[in-house]
């Protein structure tokens, strides 16, 4: 089923409040979102199997999104970079990084990501998806984002900060458009 945004939550707890708020916010603004939890979190260096990587790539191909995103913690940087390379080898889709690593190391993220969201991402992602739907284009002036446009990196200031957290929707804990890849299988 086609979706606007595939949000990948790698190696994190399924509770992942930030990505769930992003899902609710974007859905509330008319975008279709599929959230994919990729493997259980482990303090060990857990590497995805080739089957799990294939399941991830096949999922993205099948849903044919306008945008793929990773919620990225620094400890999983190398694996997410490798997954991004594999996605880009097979699928022509912009990839955005958000989360802790993107906020503290945006220049590092821009080595492979097309967009890096620094800080709050709800409204910047809404803007990006609206632009992709209308013009198939990511505006290099998107707030809170570093944007690679024809190999030129635009570093936009953090101008969107949600001052009223009560204005954000509740985290989406439904099973709607939620998927989980682990132990060589995908589960809805």
């Amino acid at each position: 089923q086609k979706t606007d945004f595939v949000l990948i939550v790698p190696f994190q707890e399924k509770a992942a409040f930030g990505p769930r708020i992003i899902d609710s916010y974007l859905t509330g603004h008319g975008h279709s979102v599929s959230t994919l939890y990729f493997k259980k979190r482990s303090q060990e260096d857990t590497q995805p199997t080739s089957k799990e990587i294939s399941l991830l790539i096949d999922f993205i191909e099948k849903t044919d999104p306008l945008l793929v995103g990773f919620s990225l913690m620094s400890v999983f940087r190398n694996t997410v970079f490798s997954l991004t390379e594999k996605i880009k080898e097979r699928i022509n889709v912009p990839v955005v990084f958000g989360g802790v690593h993107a906020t503290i190391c945006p220049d590092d993220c821009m080595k492979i990501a097309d967009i890096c969201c620094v800080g709050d991402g709800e409204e910047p992602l809404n803007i990006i998806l609206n632009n992709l739907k209308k013009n198939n284009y990511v505006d290099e002036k998107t707030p809170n984002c570093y944007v690679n446009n024809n190999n030129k990196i635009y570093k936009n200031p953090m101008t969107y900060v949600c001052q009223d957290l009560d204005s954000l929707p509740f985290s989406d804990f439904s099973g709607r458009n939620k998927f989980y890849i682990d132990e060589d299988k995908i589960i809805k």
Side-chain angles (χ1 to χ4, degrees):
Q1 176 183 2
K2 183 157 176 53
T3 191
D4 296 329
F5 183 46
V6 171
L7 175 57
I8 303 165
V9 184
F11 302 98
Q12 296 181 24
E13 303 297 335
K14 284 194 258 183
F17 292 105
R20 288 180 183 274
I21 291 171
I22 294 284
D23 181 342
S24 294
Y25 187 90
L26 293 175
T27 301
H29 283 80
H31 306 292
S32 58
V33 178
S34 291
T35 304
L36 197 150
Y37 299 89
F38 190 79
K39 295 191 68 66
K40 285 183 259 193
R41 183 172 183 175
S42 172
Q43 298 305 318
E44 303 164 13
D45 185 25
T46 306
Q47 293 298 314
T49 66
S50 59
K51 171 73 172 173
E52 291 164 344
I53 293 168
S54 285
L55 288 168
L56 174 69
I57 302 294
D58 291 347
F59 181 86
I60 294 168
E61 283 184 324
K62 187 176 93 177
T63 55
D64 189 25
L66 297 170
L67 183 67
V68 170
F70 281 94
S71 175
L72 179 56
M73 294 172 58
S74 298
V75 69
F76 303 117
R77 176 233 186 247
N78 291 342
T79 302
V80 169
F81 274 46
S82 176
L83 291 172
T84 302
E85 285 175 359
K86 291 179 185 334
I87 291 167
K88 288 177 171 237
E89 286 171 7
R90 293 233 333 245
I91 306 165
N92 183 22
V93 62
V95 176
V96 59
F97 286 0
V100 176
H101 189 71
T103 298
I104 61 174
C105 298
D107 289 315
D108 180 53
C109 291
M110 291 308 292
K111 292 174 183 172
I112 190 158
D114 301 296
I115 308 156
C116 179
C117 188
V118 178
D120 293 348
E122 294 84 9
E123 188 54 25
L125 286 169
N126 183 41
I127 291 168
I128 290 167
L129 286 168
N130 283 332
N131 282 329
L132 285 170
K133 284 178 177 179
K134 289 178 188 167
N135 328 333
N136 199 27
Y137 176 74
V138 176
D139 186 351
E140 64 266 358
K141 295 178 184 160
T142 305
N144 293 31
C145 292
Y146 284 31
V147 179
N148 183 341
N149 187 348
N150 293 320
N151 295 318
K152 181 172 182 192
I153 307 294
Y154 295 85
K155 298 179 179 183
N156 297 298
M158 193 182 325
T159 55
Y160 169 77
V161 177
C162 182
Q163 297 294 329
D164 179 13
L165 296 179
D166 289 335
S167 70
L168 294 174
F170 289 109
S171 297
D172 183 353
F173 282 98
S174 74
R176 177 197 54 78
N177 293 330
K178 307 287 184 293
F179 303 86
Y180 185 58
I181 291 178
D182 200 21
E183 298 178 3
D184 287 343
K185 59 186 177 243
I186 186 167
I187 301 165
K188 182 170 180 170

